[in-house]
Amino acid sequence: MKWVKGLLINLQFFTIIPLPFEIPMDHIHIKRAIQTFPILGALQGMAFSSLLWGMMEWTPFSDVAVSFLLWFATILITGGIHLDGWMDASDAYFSYRDKQKRLEIMKDPRTGAFGVLSIIKLLSFRFLFIYEVVQMLQPQTYLAIALIPFFSKTVMGGVLLSIPLAKKEGLGAFFQGAANISSLWTYIVYIVIVFLFIITMKMDTLLVAAILFIVSLAGFQFLKGKIIKWFGGITGDILGATVEGTEWLLWLTLWLLHYSVMG
């Protein structure tokens, strides 16, 4: 039951889905929430894939309309919480100031020019990737799309569990206060289960999933080395930026795969 409540906490924090009841926000439930980050991502991914399949099979919409609605859904379902982190982290990073000043910039509720420009680039490229993926749609594309939020939320959890805090307050500190490094083993179990399921499919589907996983792992290793260097540790904004950056990278990878492995 605590596992279910942990997932519901994630739905409350990271999606626009309303919950008609309150959930205890104690350490054990937050710990379960952290352990279910990848499950939240899997649910989001399945929602995106189902939406795409439904529009392709049951509507007369053009590829542009399908792509726009899928693109919009990826923004709407989270309420923009991760995009806010992306903008704040971009403002801080592109200030080219020291770590402490960057943390102060992220606390500023105002959005600077770098934040605006970075989100325009992020969302513009994501639309390009989605549009061309829709145009070159393959049966294994649906599974690949479902894996993108799954891997991005796994990376977010890995960053939360393995990188120290930049400051002792905020959303990042709230979650890490209940975190346990052993939760990484839970993530490994999820990944193994996913790949055991994918093994039953065609070899090219397994290859696509493996490439997305390798890219996610490489992104995680890159972030582990750079977040402390750039910001001195993690914050809630950094975690949000991690999700958006990882998903951007995976959409880019899926787009390129449609020109090669899936072409």
Side-chain angles (χ1 to χ4, degrees), residues 10-43:
N10 287 334
L11 291 173
Q12 179 178 288
F13 261 94
F14 301 114
T15 76
I16 60 170
I17 299 173
L19 297 179
F21 48 83
E22 292 186 3
I23 303 171
M25 300 296 287
D26 53 37
H27 275 208
I28 188 64
H29 287 99
I30 296 300
K31 178 182 176 181
R32 294 291 183 265
I34 294 168
Q35 291 174 340
T36 55
F37 280 170
I39 296 179
L40 172 67
L43 292 176

Side-chain angles (χ1 to χ4, degrees), residues 75-210:
I75 301 170
L76 179 65
I77 197 169
T78 65
I81 185 171
H82 301 313
L83 289 173
D84 179 68
W86 174 267
M87 288 189 292
D88 289 342
S90 296
D91 270 336
Y93 174 76
F94 288 108
S95 70
Y96 298 109
R97 308 290 289 274
D98 58 58
K99 297 175 186 178
Q100 189 58 42
K101 186 61 179 179
R102 285 175 172 176
L103 293 178
E104 293 175 10
I105 290 172
M106 280 193 286
K107 289 176 62 177
D108 192 331
R110 296 170 296 180
T111 301
F114 290 121
V116 173
L117 290 172
S118 68
I119 197 171
I120 290 173
K121 291 179 180 179
L122 178 84
L123 294 178
S124 297
F125 274 107
R126 185 192 297 176
F127 179 78
L128 167 66
F129 301 151
I130 291 174
Y131 175 61
E132 293 218 333
V133 164
V134 167
Q135 286 193 311
M136 299 182 285
L137 199 64
Q138 300 291 330
Q140 61 267 40
T141 302
Y142 294 106
L143 175 64
I145 289 174
L147 288 175
I148 289 176
F150 170 75
F151 284 137
S152 72
K153 293 298 191 298
T154 302
V155 170
M156 179 180 75
V159 167
L160 173 67
L161 293 166
S162 61
I163 298 178
L165 293 168
K167 57 181 183 177
K168 303 299 182 182
E169 58 186 18
L171 188 60
F174 176 67
F175 272 87
Q176 197 179 81
N180 189 320
I181 193 67
S182 63
S183 296
L184 285 175
W185 288 104
T186 307
Y187 293 0
I188 294 172
V189 171
Y190 293 147
I191 293 169
V192 169
I193 291 172
V194 166
F195 274 95
L196 287 175
F197 170 73
I198 295 173
I199 285 173
T200 64
M201 302 179 182
K202 294 182 179 179
M203 185 57 65
D204 54 355
T205 303
L206 177 60
L207 178 60
V208 170

Side-chain angles (χ1 to χ4, degrees), residues 55-83:
M55 289 190 293
M56 296 300 291
E57 294 293 326
W58 301 100
T59 73
F61 297 159
S62 67
D63 288 348
V64 173
V66 168
S67 302
F68 175 81
L69 291 172
L70 178 59
W71 173 83
F72 185 70
T74 65
I75 301 170
L76 179 65
I77 197 169
T78 65
I81 185 171
H82 301 313
L83 289 173

